[in-house]
Amino acid sequence: DATSQYIEGREDVEAQDGLYPGGLQCALVLIGVYLRASGEPIMGVVSQPFAHKDPGGQGWRGQYFWGVSYGNLNVSSLPRPEAPSQEALAVVLSSSEKEPVKQALAPQCGGRLHYASGAGYKILCVALGLVDAYVVSEGSTYKWDSCAPHAILRALGGGAVDLGQCLSGLAEHGGRPELKYHLPRAGCQGAERWANEGGIVAFLDPTRLKRVISALLGKVHLQANGE
């Protein structure tokens, strides 16, 4: 994930509230497992090879995180999160996100609207509790970007939903429209067959998810997955 950041190789990017907007820290290795019958993500491993640079010049130190969510089993290398302590939301976006999305979320965030590179890294920031949610409103991410960190979020009580379905009302009677990983997009070719076409909201706390959807409802119009 964030291959462009790996190729560019920037080592001097400073963290902002714990998040790196770019640089080698955003480059991850993602391994996700899903059920072939249902498409549910059940296991994920996220490796961050460039997590910390040794101040003594000994190179980089990495770290990794994992989670399993299968049936009644939910375990992770990360601790289960505490309830959010701040009223304002903290949301991470891509810097190229649509302006209406930024404008809709900014009043809810009170200065805690962040930007970072790499879909996998941004979902990891949610799992680490650095932000409440990651939002992307386009089909610019792919199943291999989201499966591993999605499984970790599920193990922690969160998830990743199809934003288009949430905004279109398709989820009203069917519960949360969690991303699924087993079916390609009809009528598409190549990598686009596996795009998350409806966009994503990744979250830990369901009450924060509701606030994000409420902020975007009526202000952002997306194509729901399958339409």
Side-chain angles (χ1 to χ4, degrees), residues 127-175:
L128 292 173
L130 298 174
V131 291
D132 296 310
Y134 159 51
V135 177
V136 57
S137 66
E138 297 181 311
S140 56
T141 69
Y142 297 87
K143 303 300 184 185
W144 48 81
D145 295 319
S146 56
C147 185
H150 184 182
I152 296 175
L153 285 177
R154 284 169 58 91
L156 295 171
V161 297
D162 184 296
L163 175 58
Q165 288 192 28
C166 289
L167 296 180
S168 69
L170 294 180
E172 290 181 0
H173 303 293

Side-chain angles (χ1 to χ4, degrees), residues 44 46 63-68 74-81 123-130 148-149 151-153 155-157 204:
V46 175
Q63 59 186 357
Y64 65 90
F65 311 94
W66 58 267
V68 177
N74 289 286
V75 292
S76 175
S77 61
L78 292 170
R80 293 187 70 86
I123 302 176
L124 176 62
C125 288
V126 179
L128 292 173
L130 298 174
I152 296 175
L153 285 177
L156 295 171
L204 271 178

Side-chain angles (χ1 to χ4, degrees), residues 10-23 25 115 121:
R10 293 180 61 193
E11 302 182 10
D12 57 349
V13 179
E14 296 290 334
Q16 300 174 6
D17 294 331
L19 289 83
Y20 288 89
Q25 289 87 347
Y115 300 95
Y121 176 71

Side-chain angles (χ1 to χ4, degrees), residues 6-152:
Y6 175 72
I7 294 172
E8 191 173 347
R10 293 180 61 193
E11 302 182 10
D12 57 349
V13 179
E14 296 290 334
Q16 300 174 6
D17 294 331
L19 289 83
Y20 288 89
L24 284 172
Q25 289 87 347
C26 299
L28 307 178
V29 178
L30 308 172
I31 303 173
V33 178
Y34 64 88
L35 291 177
R36 293 180 64 183
S38 65
E40 295 177 78
I42 59 172
M43 183 170 66
V45 178
V46 175
S47 173
Q48 188 181 26
F50 306 101
H52 308 286
K53 189 173 183 181
D54 189 292
Q58 299 300 312
W60 289 86
R61 297 178 62 183
Q63 59 186 357
Y64 65 90
F65 311 94
W66 58 267
V68 177
S69 179
Y70 183 61
N72 294 324
L73 176 66
N74 289 286
V75 292
S76 175
S77 61
L78 292 170
R80 293 187 70 86
E82 298 180 358
S85 59
Q86 297 194 42
E87 178 63 23
L89 291 173
V91 178
V92 63
L93 309 171
S94 168
S95 59
S96 61
E97 183 55 74
K98 295 176 181 177
E99 199 60 34
V101 174
K102 297 177 183 179
Q103 293 176 357
L105 291 173
Q108 301 291 325
C109 292
R112 302 176 73 209
L113 192 60
H114 303 283
Y115 300 95
S117 298
Y121 176 71
K122 289 191 278 284
I123 302 176
L124 176 62
C125 288
V126 179
L128 292 173
L130 298 174
V131 291
D132 296 310
Y134 159 51
V135 177
V136 57
S137 66
E138 297 181 311
S140 56
T141 69
Y142 297 87
K143 303 300 184 185
W144 48 81
D145 295 319
S146 56
C147 185
H150 184 182
I152 296 175

